[in-house]
Amino acid sequence: MCDFKIEKYPQHDTTEQEKLHSEIINLFTDGLGMYRDIVNKQHVDNYIQKSILSDISNINDTYFTNEKSCFWIVKNKESQELIGMVGLQYLSIQNSKTKENVGELRRMNVKESERKKGIASKLLETLIEFAKEKNYSKIKLSCWVQQLAAINLYKKFGFKIVGEPRCVNIEKQVYDYDLELILQ
């Protein structure tokens, strides 16, 4: 079994950030790369590039601009290799009657060779505990319908599928599930 440690992304250590940057991109790219043949190669590659440009290359701006968002990394204790990550991005949702504190679970990924060792479960436990401390009402996420292991893990933690699969690319026949975990 892998001995690992979960820690917050080093938001104030630019030297460590520079070291982690390519590792995070590689972990994300490799993790989703396995879906190229299952989902659709072009759709997956476009999603990876869009994600790198939007938040993965801007972790501080995306996950540390307020105290209700966070990004965690997992390292192998012995080798210090990056083997997992997850982010929780705060979304303040205002409707006509109430304001909800909602978080979006993003970028959950564990290195393929390190899966089935409890790392994703520990990441989810950490993220959910953080969300409860910050008084989130719910956590939501989206994932491809083909991500069965991930969907089963989320369900184990109480996430429920909301609605029917949503078509995200009609031409490529790509569908997402929206899931959410009600905390309050």
Side-chain angles (χ1 to χ4, degrees):
M1 180 139 187
C2 171
D3 199 13
F4 61 90
K5 64 179 176 177
I6 297 174
E7 56 192 49
K8 286 185 180 177
Y9 178 81
Q11 68 193 60
H12 302 296
D13 186 341
T14 53
T15 304
E16 185 64 18
Q17 288 174 17
E18 288 172 13
K19 286 186 218 172
L20 282 170
H21 182 74
S22 62
E23 284 187 82
I24 288 171
I25 289 173
N26 290 338
L27 178 64
F28 181 70
T29 302
D30 292 346
L32 289 179
M34 65 187 271
Y35 292 99
R36 283 185 173 107
D37 294 330
I38 300 169
V39 176
N40 175 280
K41 182 183 182 333
Q42 184 181 4
H43 181 79
V44 172
D45 289 343
N46 288 343
Y47 178 79
I48 289 170
Q49 287 308 309
K50 179 181 155 199
S51 300
I52 290 169
L53 293 172
S54 67
D55 67 297
I56 292 177
S57 290
N58 301 296
I59 291 174
N60 277 346
D61 292 340
T62 305
Y63 299 99
F64 292 102
T65 55
N66 67 61
E67 75 282 347
K68 290 191 175 199
S69 296
C70 196
F71 194 88
W72 294 269
I73 57 173
V74 183
K75 289 185 176 180
N76 178 301
K77 276 189 178 179
E78 188 176 312
S79 69
Q80 292 300 299
E81 174 190 16
L82 180 73
I83 57 173
M85 64 185 184
V86 69
L88 180 64
Q89 187 174 20
Y90 175 68
L91 308 169
S92 176
I93 299 179
Q94 182 79 39
N95 65 32
S96 60
K97 296 179 183 172
T98 61
K99 178 181 174 184
E100 286 189 275
N101 291 322
V102 176
E104 183 178 7
L105 186 155
R106 302 180 75 191
R107 311 308 174 219
M108 169 65 92
N109 206 314
V110 174
K111 186 175 180 178
E112 192 169 4
S113 63
E114 302 298 332
R115 292 180 185 165
K116 305 286 185 200
K117 297 179 181 181
I119 296 169
S121 291
K122 288 293 184 192
L123 277 169
L124 272 176
E125 288 172 10
T126 301
L127 183 142
I128 291 168
E129 183 61 34
F130 177 87
K132 287 178 178 177
E133 289 171 8
K134 301 297 182 183
N135 296 313
Y136 277 71
S137 55
K138 67 181 163 186
I139 301 169
K140 64 180 205 163
L141 66 95
S142 295
C143 62
W144 294 317
V145 297
Q146 294 89 346
Q147 292 177 287
L148 299 177
I151 291 165
N152 289 333
L153 176 68
Y154 296 135
K155 284 180 173 180
K156 182 176 120 181
F157 277 83
F159 283 82
K160 305 269 190 257
I161 293 175
V162 179
E164 296 297 316
R166 178 172 41 91
C167 182
V168 293
N169 187 324
I170 191 76
E171 180 184 325
K172 307 294 182 195
Q173 294 293 300
V174 179
Y175 292 87
D176 273 359
Y177 277 131
D178 291 322
L179 292 94
E180 67 180 22
L181 173 65
I182 305 297
L183 298 174
Q184 297 180 9

